């Protein structure tokens, strides 16, 4: 008889995702948008049976990317070296993809990952693209998640200098959509329930891929 996986637990912080990963004995994952490797380290230091973790980041300045992470190229190189240093002890399981997320995706096999965390571009179009491209890489019952589950007005209230309204082509949105709307619309199309971490200024979203 087929049995459904357990419903996802409610978490206050993304640092608890590793509990889920351990309970479900997950072994493969990817993070899209890695920067200094801070979240990768949080996961990997407790993910003892991780066999494969793909870290995907351009680590380069982008033309239309209004984000605190979009620093000059020489600082990007330093950031990349910091990530490599921070994650050195996990080298055996790590696969680096220094490229645009929409190009790096072809290096991953379909149905191969148990956990995917999306945290690269935060404009609606960019997030939507990453959701669509990385979804087929996730195994059935896998966990799809990401950072900054917020729309534009919420970002403005928390971080007035951030502006996620402009996409990679330089087109500015006139509605309020950013990460939250992209995730909600993506989930709605697939009748999936989205959960969010409850105690973070920049919440993470998460859902399970049932089919
Ligand atoms: C917010 S930081 C990631 C933080 C990291 N996930 C953490 O929590 O420690 C976003 C990163 O995404 C990368 N990024 C943005 N757009 C990208 C794209 N289109 N392709 C690949 N990487 C991208 C940036 O270079 C930046 O390092």
């Amino acid at each position: 008889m087929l049995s459904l996986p357990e419903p996802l637990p409610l978490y206050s912080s993304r640092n608890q995702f590793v509990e889920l990963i351990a309970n479900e004995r997950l072994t493969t994952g990817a993070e899209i948008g890695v920067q200094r490797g801070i979240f990768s380290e949080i996961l990997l230091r407790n993910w003892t049976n991780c066999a494969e973790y793909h870290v995907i980041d351009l680590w380069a300045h982008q033309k239309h990317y209004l984000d605190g992470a979009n620093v000059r190229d020489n600082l990007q190189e330093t950031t990349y070296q910091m990530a490599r240093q921070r994650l050195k002890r996990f080298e055996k399981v790590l696969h680096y993809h220094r490229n645009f997320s929409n190009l790096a995706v072809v290096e991953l096999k379909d149905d191969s990952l148990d956990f995917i965390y999306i945290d690269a571009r935060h404009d609606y179009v960019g997030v939507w693209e990453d959701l669509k491209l990385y979804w087929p890489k996730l195994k059935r019952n896998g966990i799809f998640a990401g950072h900054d589950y917020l729309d534009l007005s919420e970002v403005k209230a928390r971080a007035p200098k951030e502006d996620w309204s402009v996409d990679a082509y330089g087109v500015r949105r006139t509605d309020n959509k950013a990460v939250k709307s992209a995730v909600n619309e993506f989930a709605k199309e697939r009748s999936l329930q989205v959960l969010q971490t409850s105690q973070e200024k920049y919440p993470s979203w998460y859902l399970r891929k049932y089919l």
Side-chain angles (χ1 to χ4, degrees):
M1 198 176 71
L2 280 176
S3 62
L4 280 172
E6 291 291 309
L8 292 175
L10 295 173
Y11 290 125
S12 55
S13 149
R14 67 178 183 166
N15 296 357
Q16 294 170 287
F17 287 163
V18 75
E19 292 172 19
L20 179 67
I21 285 170
N23 288 344
E24 303 207 356
R25 297 189 170 80
L26 307 183
T27 59
T28 55
E31 186 172 338
I32 328 303
V34 176
Q35 206 181 24
R36 292 186 290 270
I38 291 172
F39 185 58
S40 313
E41 185 189 24
I42 289 170
L43 271 193
L44 291 171
R45 70 179 173 219
N46 293 307
W47 188 352
T48 47
N49 63 338
C50 183
E52 188 179 315
Y53 196 71
H54 296 265
V55 281
I56 297 154
D57 198 303
L58 188 61
W59 283 293
H61 183 265
Q62 295 179 58
K63 190 166 178 205
H64 300 295
Y65 178 40
L66 303 176
D67 194 294
N70 195 24
V71 293
R72 297 192 310 271
D73 272 333
N74 60 336
L75 289 178
Q76 293 281 356
E77 187 55 35
T78 309
T79 305
Y80 172 63
Q81 294 303 338
M82 282 167 77
R84 293 231 51 149
Q85 191 56 38
R86 186 190 304 275
L87 302 175
K88 210 177 170 70
R89 64 191 192 276
F90 311 112
E91 202 83 7
K92 269 204 313 223
V93 301
L94 284 174
H95 299 260
Y96 282 86
H97 306 260
R98 191 173 183 179
N99 207 341
F100 286 102
S101 57
N102 59 1
L103 299 179
V105 69
V106 301
E107 292 159 17
L108 304 179
K109 290 196 199 85
D110 284 355
D111 301 312
S112 65
L113 301 173
D114 296 308
F115 175 83
I116 297 178
Y117 191 75
I118 296 187
D119 189 17
R121 294 194 66 93
H122 293 85
D123 60 280
Y124 174 87
V125 173
V127 176
W128 182 262
E129 184 178 50
D130 282 341
L131 294 169
K132 229 174 92 181
L133 290 175
Y134 282 87
W135 182 246
K137 308 300 164 190
L138 194 62
K139 290 183 197 169
R140 188 174 176 193
N141 293 334
I143 310 299
F144 208 36
H147 202 211
D148 300 308
Y149 184 57
L150 301 168
D151 273 335
L152 295 177
S153 55
E154 296 166 298
V155 181
K156 269 271 165 285
R158 287 166 170 77
K161 283 193 185 151
E162 291 289 354
D163 181 0
W164 299 341
S165 65
V166 177
D167 68 24
Y169 310 96
V171 177
R172 185 178 290 278
R173 299 195 74 78
T174 52
D175 60 19
N176 190 38
K177 293 181 181 187
V179 180
K180 190 187 265 185
S181 289
V183 171
N184 287 352
E185 290 169 23
F186 183 87
K188 194 171 174 202
E189 278 185 6
R190 290 158 184 81
S191 305
L192 298 167
Q193 190 193 8
V194 185
L195 298 179
Q196 74 175 96
T197 55
S198 59
Q199 299 293 322
E200 292 174 306
K201 183 174 176 190
Y202 299 98
S204 283
W205 58 271
Y206 54 112
L207 57 84
R208 193 191 291 282
K209 179 178 188 175
Y210 282 100
L211 290 173

